[in-house]
Amino acid sequence: MDITAPLPPVTADDPNPSAAAAHTLLDPSGLGPIDRVPLIPEAARRRHHVFVPADHRFKAAARFLQALWREDRGLAIGTHIDRRELHRPRRLGSRISAAAGTLGANFLHPDIVPVVARALAYREPSAAYDIDRLKTNLLSSQPLAFNLFGLLTSNPTLATRFVNELLPGTMTHVTDILFEHSPGRSDPRFTADRTAYDVVLRGWDSTGARVLTCIEIKYSEPGHEPAPPPHPRHAEIARSTAGLFVDPDDPTLTGPACQQLYRQHCLASAMLTAGLADKAVLAFIAPTHNQLAHAAASTYTRQLIDPQAGPIPFIPMTLEHAFAAIATAGLPNHARALHRRYTDWWLVDGELDLAGVPTPAPGTQTTAPSPESDEFIHIATRAPARATQPGRGRKHTVAPANLAA
């Protein structure tokens, strides 16, 4: 299955279990794919305390979805402090309170919480952890990395099944999963800066070669991070890695769209040169509808001589396919929880529909409402916990679940 393409239709005799799992997981109600995330009206964003004028279209929708997830679980709203107005913290629906964060509420399963605690306790020197962001920011890609990979850390067999679904033929045995990893920040043997990966899988392939699968994860980030000044060590590595870059001196590589992946590719090459592994793969994961992130990955791909078969393959993929791989590997309930939190855009669509229904006048008398009636929908909007409303052919929201859901 092409992991960068839209999911194909599933038939009863479909030989591709990942495709079937993806459809079962991502479209349980048979609604079909959503073409794009909606432009959410300012009033709706303000109502859920997620109006941030600077948000691009996808980030606004992702922030809105995180607020719905928080509200459905009854988690206390958190605050954001603007560095320009330190004395005026504002409530932000895509954050949870510090108390909820301390209890591990930003993580989708209780078993992930000790994985996070251990990663923090044994973090590498100068590792880029913002602990408050990790524990209370629902929109951040760092807790997403733990939510996606955390349950695999204690089960190499499960981790191996997952990577075989996600990146077939890359690894046949996973030995370690590392978070926020670099072999040596600021070490001149590598990139002499603070370049690191969100996640690294270490293991072997079918030939017995040692393999590193290095992963960069985006959620709402556009993939156009501010570009630091070009470092001479990056250029040195790029020029000496035969068969990797079309033109290692192309300034596009050090521009905002490519610089992070360029630095990570250079780091992977330096790790191979240092003998830390025999092979390496650089993977990029972002939600299907984060078009800015995937556009940045496409721009970078064009700078590579052979992205798939080069000395260090570059493999962009969708977050939804990663969730399908989690399901197929043996964690379908966790995959559903991941999808519900991060990529179920029909919930946003349903919330907009609910907001657009006129509120009946006070004192209006009606008969017992049907699921199709305005009164039924009005009651649903006032209820403390959302429910699935099949009316008008759309799945609006889901019942709240506990942290272990």
Side-chain angles (χ1 to χ4, degrees), residues 101-264:
T102 300
L103 294 174
N106 205 6
F107 305 105
L108 289 174
H109 194 283
D111 291 348
I112 298 174
V113 177
V115 174
V116 176
R118 188 169 183 83
L120 291 176
Y122 287 93
R123 77 189 85 169
E124 297 165 0
S126 301
Y129 280 111
D130 181 332
I131 297 178
D132 178 67
R133 182 178 177 84
L134 174 66
K135 293 186 177 183
T136 68
N137 190 330
L138 304 177
L139 201 62
S140 171
S141 59
Q142 197 162 69
L144 168 57
F146 282 100
N147 281 326
L148 181 56
F149 288 92
L151 292 182
L152 306 177
T153 59
S154 61
N155 191 329
T157 300
L158 184 64
T160 300
R161 290 204 301 265
F162 168 72
V163 78
N164 286 338
E165 292 291 339
L166 189 69
L167 298 164
T170 302
M171 304 175 79
T172 56
H173 187 68
V174 176
T175 58
D176 301 287
I177 298 178
L178 308 174
F179 296 93
E180 192 58 35
H181 175 63
S182 168
R185 292 169 178 81
S186 302
D187 190 327
R189 292 180 302 160
F190 302 108
T191 54
D193 63 0
R194 298 183 63 183
T195 299
Y197 306 104
D198 291 326
V199 180
V200 173
L201 308 180
R202 295 195 298 198
W204 299 289
D205 68 6
S206 58
T207 70
R210 298 168 299 156
V211 180
L212 296 173
T213 298
C214 309
I215 302 172
E216 174 63 24
I217 301 174
K218 303 293 185 189
Y219 182 50
S220 64
E221 301 89 346
H224 291 75
E225 285 76 13
H231 196 291
R233 178 61 176 143
H234 302 153
E236 178 185 341
I237 296 170
R239 293 172 188 144
S240 64
T241 307
L244 185 57
F245 297 110
V246 174
D247 179 2
D249 296 310
D250 190 328
T252 304
L253 289 169
T254 56
C258 296
Q259 58 87 17
Q260 185 179 33
L261 294 171
Y262 168 65
R263 290 188 287 106
Q264 290 177 335

